[in-house]
Amino acid sequence: PILDQTAYTLFGNNWLVMDYIKKGQTENLDAYIAWMLKATKGYAVKIVNPGGTEAWGWGKNCTAIDDPVPYFEVTPKEIITGLAETNERLGLPHSIHLHGNNLGHPGNYTTTLKTLALTENIPVNKASGRSQNLHFTHTQFNSYGGTTWKDFESKADAIADYVNSHDHLTIDVGFVTLDETTTMTADGPMEFGLHSLNHLKWANLDVELETGSGVVPYIYDPKLHVCGIQWAIGLELALLVKDPSRCHLTTDHPNAGPFTRYPTVVSWLMSKKARDAKMATLHKWVPERTKLPGISREMDFYEIAQMTRSGTAKALGLEKSKGQLGIGADADIVIYNFDPTTTDATQNPELIEKALGAAEYTIKGGDIVVKDGDIVALTNSKQIVWADADGFNNQEVINDIVDKFLKYYSVTLNN
């Protein structure tokens, strides 16, 4: 009840977006994005399986960035670049937030590299205050080598090399925590593929004109080589990307695992001893098909703070108020019962996990809400943060919106 939040509005399979991109109507595209963000109180332009979820309405998918979207004559490549350029023209606080095509399939790292390169030469709007024009989400799911699940292997090193040599993007990891969880995403065809693998219950929804979604329960079984390699890929990405402020700690909650496992993930990042102990319980192919056993890096608390606080705030365009302790910042502070000057984190990973799993103090906006590990107040109300984009004053777009609602939506524009 006290967590500040934002909404990322989905645009990558939106009919009007694809139509404006196809026609090259950039002013109309800008105006429509600005209108939609206001209408939904959205904060960022989110793109999930661009074109692929619309294709799923016809039982198809777009697994490559040059695959045409049925009936729209545009490609994921054009959707991504078109929305990235609009995002910069509008000067939104966050870059486009991209879930790439071909997620979760062996060999998809080549699609990922091609996707990351799409925005290399799109200039960042300096007025936005950020340095990236692309944030690539839960990258672990897009860093796969091999041709089938049988020869499945990690290609995290190739993705990390790209991130290290290009400064136009940030990523988050999507650590697999080897839990029982429930996957939910706007990548509709991916969820059907997952259901086809595990045969658990599958829910699917086509959201008229805008996107689609799916929900499937999933068990990341530590006995299976695929799940073990996925676990290792997440850690490889985080440890091989040199700048932790550009590689953020997530579990893609709940898709790769619940966010309550963050303390465990931090213990793996800070302690090779913890990683090695976990790997010893996994399938024998995990050390053979990943680079993780040879990675000696152990992060410190400053690097973890960059991955989870300052780096994320900067990427979101919230660094003036969040992720730092300077004058004028929100007094959002957590205090853990762990002294790194007297306890070696690398040798005591269980103590890291214990400390981070139960904060001694949590201060929200200057108010103490957790004291001595107990919740003492929930009086500080949350803030909903949204982007009031300038540039919407286009009668042609208004007419298009009214027309689409009349012809195709099951609710009216007033709704």
Side-chain angles (χ1 to χ4, degrees):
I2 64 170
L3 289 178
D4 297 339
Q5 68 184 56
T6 66
Y8 299 175
T9 307
L10 289 156
F11 288 103
N13 293 277
N14 185 294
W15 286 19
L16 275 165
V17 166
M18 291 187 289
D19 199 39
Y20 290 142
I21 289 173
K22 172 188 173 182
K23 295 175 180 176
Q25 297 176 343
T26 56
E27 289 185 7
N28 287 2
L29 180 61
D30 295 355
Y32 178 67
I33 298 301
W35 177 85
M36 183 68 103
L37 287 173
K38 283 191 177 183
T40 62
K41 293 297 181 287
Y43 185 74
V45 171
K46 184 164 184 177
I47 307 167
V48 175
N49 189 10
T53 301
E54 170 57 28
W56 179 236
W58 307 95
K60 300 178 182 180
N61 195 5
C62 295
T63 57
I65 60 173
D66 292 310
D67 287 350
V69 183
Y71 304 104
F72 282 93
E73 300 175 20
V74 294
T75 64
K77 177 180 179 179
E78 292 168 324
I79 294 169
I80 294 166
T81 55
L83 286 171
E85 289 166 353
T86 281
N87 199 86
E88 299 312 321
R89 286 192 295 268
L90 293 175
L92 296 176
H94 186 41
S95 62
I96 58 168
H97 198 89
L98 176 61
H99 159 135
N101 300 86
N102 206 21
L103 178 141
H105 296 121
N108 65 10
Y109 83 102
T110 57
T111 306
T112 303
L113 291 172
K114 292 175 183 177
T115 302
L116 300 180
L118 290 177
T119 65
E120 280 183 17
N121 298 316
I122 296 176
V124 175
N125 187 330
K126 298 302 181 184
S128 69
R130 54 180 158 76
S131 54
Q132 90 280 3
N133 61 28
L134 168 66
H135 178 82
F136 198 79
T137 66
H138 40 71
T139 310
Q140 176 274 135
F141 287 114
N142 292 80
S143 304
Y144 298 166
T147 57
T148 66
W149 293 119
K150 190 171 183 180
D151 64 358
F152 178 65
E153 63 178 353
S154 169
K155 286 294 182 179
D157 55 338
I159 304 301
D161 286 346
Y162 183 90
V163 176
N164 288 333
S165 58
H166 295 82
D167 60 6
H168 68 283
L169 76 158
T170 55
I171 66 170
D172 64 83
V173 175
F175 290 98
V176 164
T177 58
L178 299 174
D179 277 293
E180 179 177 342
T181 189
T182 299
T183 64
M184 52 183 74
T185 175
D187 191 341
M190 188 281 293
E191 288 287 41
F192 177 72
L194 198 59
H195 160 72
S196 301
L197 281 174
N198 67 12
H199 306 293
L200 297 179
K201 289 183 179 181
W202 165 57
N204 183 75
L205 181 66
D206 184 47
V207 183
E208 47 200 37
L209 276 73
E210 293 178 17
T211 187
S213 64
V215 180
V216 176
Y218 195 74
I219 300 169
Y220 289 96
D221 188 344
K223 298 175 184 176
L224 299 179
H225 74 279
V226 170
C227 298
I229 293 171
Q230 289 177 308
W231 169 84
I233 288 172
L235 293 167
E236 287 178 298
L237 283 168
L239 295 166
L240 291 173
V241 171
K242 295 175 182 177
D243 183 356
S245 69
R246 295 177 55 222
C247 179
H248 307 145
L249 193 158
T250 63
T251 58
D252 187 28
H253 172 84
N255 292 300
F259 69 86
T260 50
R261 300 292 184 268
Y262 279 18
T264 308
V265 174
V266 172
S267 73
W268 292 330
L269 294 172
M270 296 186 72
S271 171
K272 189 174 189 307
K273 175 183 175 181
R275 298 195 295 269
D276 289 346
K278 186 65 178 179
M279 185 175 291
T281 69
L282 304 179
H283 195 284
K284 64 180 182 179
W285 286 350
V286 176
E288 295 174 9
R289 299 187 184 183
T290 72
K291 302 287 196 307
L292 188 60
I295 300 175
S296 60
R297 182 181 181 184
E298 293 172 311
M299 290 186 163
D300 59 30
F301 280 109
Y302 289 99
E303 291 174 309
I304 297 300
Q306 287 177 284
M307 289 188 76
T308 59
R309 271 83 169 174
S310 60
T312 50
K314 183 179 180 183
L316 286 168
L318 296 173
E319 70 273 16
K320 291 182 180 179
S321 59
K322 302 291 186 184
Q324 49 107 350
L325 299 175
I327 294 172
D330 293 347
D332 294 346
I333 302 164
V334 63
I335 301 170
Y336 299 114
N337 184 14
F338 189 96
D339 185 350
T341 65
T342 59
T343 303
D344 184 352
T346 65
Q347 298 304 309
N348 297 275
E350 70 285 351
L351 297 182
I352 298 173
E353 189 173 350
K354 179 181 178 182
L356 270 61
E360 285 293 298
Y361 284 82
T362 301
I363 301 168
K364 168 67 168 64
D367 295 334
I368 297 174
V369 295
V370 171
K371 182 178 180 180
D372 299 326
D374 295 323
I375 296 172
V376 295
L378 290 175
T379 56
N380 192 310
S381 61
K382 70 167 66 179
Q383 298 181 71
I384 308 298
V385 185
W386 63 283
D388 189 359
D390 290 329
F392 179 65
N393 121 8
N394 184 315
Q395 191 58 46
E396 185 179 353
V397 171
I398 289 282
N399 293 341
D400 288 343
I401 293 168
V402 170
D403 181 64
K404 286 291 192 290
F405 270 89
L406 283 172
K407 288 184 177 179
Y408 299 114
Y409 275 90
S410 63
V411 295
T412 70
L413 183 56
N414 288 337
N415 295 124

